[in-house]
Amino acid sequence: MASPLFSLLQIKSIILRNRMVISPMCQYSAEDGFANDWHLVHLGSRAVGGASLIIQEATAVSPEGRISPEDLGIYKGEHIEKYKQITAFILSQNAFPGIQLAHAGRKASTSAPWQGNRKLTLDEGGWRTVAPSAIRYHEDEALPPLELDKEGIAKVIADFKAAARRAHEACYKVLEIHAAHGYLIHEFMSPLCNTRTDEYGGSFDNRIRLLLEIIEAVKTEWPVDLPLFVRISGTDWAEGGWDVDQSVVLAKLLKESGVDVVDCSSGGAVSHQKIPVEPNYQVPIAERVKKEAHICTAAIGLITEAEQAEAILKNGQADLVFFGRASLRNPYLPLTFAHELHTDIIWPKQYERAHVKENK
Ligand code: FNR
């Protein structure tokens, strides 16, 4: 049987050469949102490495939506030029460039992991964060986030819309909305972070309203023939929080609104979460969403081996497999897996001899 991992997948007008996707991963290496050669080489080498789709890290739709001052942004026209270079290179390698649009909400304004991953004060170049409700993520944070008013919510939606327009101009071919990991959109979705009493809080319909409004706004700028993904946290892993049942209901609505793939991650809403981390720990979320909402899903999280990824696809648990840390260890993971599985793929011509029989 042909390898499911190296089978094609058409989503709208694009045909992915295999099912291996590079998961978005912050590099904390930008200045004022601008990409540089680090991002070009980091993303470009993963395109050379054989992934069909490389999704660029959480890219902020506004300066205050950045997790750290070093996050990528797409809140100015000037950002586009370097992104065009990145997308052109990825496309030249027969891979597709994707971008994850994000607003970090109350988890914004922190230092990079190697600088302690802590809240930055205004003096340190930080800023006042915003959220659905004025609830701190960590109790020891000096200030709670500011509760967004209607005008603030309208600005967030407009920022996503403008970012989608710029992403298209920069030639990204897949747009992923980041609605996971306790960032702004997920904060609205989770009852543990959202205690609003207006039409953006309370009932399920109210808590998902921001996400659906952002999707509608993005769709006015993002071409109908290009894929739209949404990353969700399938569960908060905390009592009284967002859960997989709600994710299934949401996924049905996402399908109706034209979303192509639900990328099923989890956690991040609250610091008291209890995540049972082990290989494939999030795969059952992708499986339930796929089977019950009848929408394509992506599996992510501690998927590190070729046979493991093959099995997820063979078992019909997901349509795509995302790779995070394993692809940081090995940018050529797809080429390595193709070699291990004795699967014929088109290698970059410069690297072809890595695949010919060992002693040639
Ligand atoms: C991440 N992750 C992440 N997720 C996301 O949706 N947007 C992002 O920008 C980031 N940034 C990020 C940076 C780094 C350095 C890591 C390691 C992770 C989460 C990532 O995409 C993935 O979901 C997790 O790492 C779990 O998958 P793996 O690493 O077990 O394959």
Side-chain angles (χ1 to χ4, degrees), residues 23-26 57-58 100 178 181 231 300-302 323-325:
S23 204
M25 282 179 285
C26 288
E57 69 186 72
Q100 186 186 53
H178 197 347
H181 301 169
R231 172 166 272 200
I300 172 70
L302 281 180
F323 296 86
R325 289 160 292 178

Side-chain angles (χ1 to χ4, degrees), residues 60-75:
V61 299
S62 59
E64 65 277 13
R66 291 172 298 169
I67 302 166
S68 77
E70 294 82 23
D71 282 22
L72 284 181
I74 190 155
Y75 45 82

Side-chain angles (χ1 to χ4, degrees), residues 61-278:
V61 299
S62 59
E64 65 277 13
R66 291 172 298 169
I67 302 166
S68 77
E70 294 82 23
D71 282 22
L72 284 181
I74 190 155
Y75 45 82
K76 307 196 229 198
E78 292 78 13
H79 288 141
I80 294 172
E81 190 183 340
K82 189 70 181 180
Y83 291 145
K84 274 192 170 164
Q85 194 190 353
I86 293 172
T87 57
F89 182 78
I90 293 174
L91 287 164
S92 77
Q93 299 305 306
N94 301 315
F96 286 102
I99 185 168
Q100 186 186 53
L101 297 185
H103 188 305
R106 69 176 178 171
K107 291 171 95 175
S109 185
T110 59
S111 61
W114 53 84
Q115 286 166 343
N117 204 9
R118 49 175 193 84
K119 251 326 174 236
L120 293 172
T121 62
L122 299 183
D123 290 345
E124 294 170 317
W127 55 94
R128 192 75 191 269
T129 62
V130 295
S133 304
I135 308 171
R136 293 169 172 85
Y137 178 69
H138 280 300
E139 276 169 18
D140 60 1
E141 285 169 15
L143 291 169
L146 292 171
E147 178 174 316
L148 278 171
D149 59 15
K150 293 281 164 56
E151 213 176 298
I153 291 175
K155 178 185 181 299
V156 168
I157 297 168
D159 287 341
F160 270 92
K161 177 175 148 84
R165 176 172 45 74
R166 294 186 194 108
H168 179 226
E169 208 180 317
C171 292
Y172 290 95
K173 301 297 176 195
V174 171
L175 189 150
E176 175 166 280
I177 295 172
H178 197 347
H181 301 169
Y183 298 121
L184 187 70
I185 299 175
H186 182 194
E187 286 161 19
F188 272 82
M189 290 158 60
S190 172
L192 300 176
C193 323
N194 180 350
T195 56
R196 298 176 76 96
T197 52
D198 64 2
E199 70 267 36
Y200 290 95
S203 69
F204 172 83
D205 286 348
N206 284 353
R207 284 181 281 114
I208 64 164
R209 188 178 306 280
L210 176 66
L211 172 57
L212 296 186
E213 289 183 352
I214 286 173
I215 290 171
E216 285 315 308
V218 161
K219 275 166 45 186
T220 63
E221 300 289 350
W222 188 246
V224 280
D225 63 337
L226 288 181
L228 181 59
F229 291 17
V230 174
R231 172 166 272 200
I232 61 165
S233 277
T235 169
D236 287 345
W237 303 111
E239 212 180 315
W242 182 266
D243 57 22
V244 185
D245 289 339
Q246 294 176 74
S247 298
V248 169
V249 181
L250 171 68
K252 289 178 183 168
L253 297 169
L254 294 181
K255 188 178 177 187
E256 275 172 28
S257 70
V259 170
D260 302 288
V261 173
V262 181
D263 167 13
C264 296
S265 188
S266 73
V270 287
S271 53
H272 63 272
Q273 64 188 5
K274 294 270 177 292
I275 307 185
V277 179
E278 57 176 8

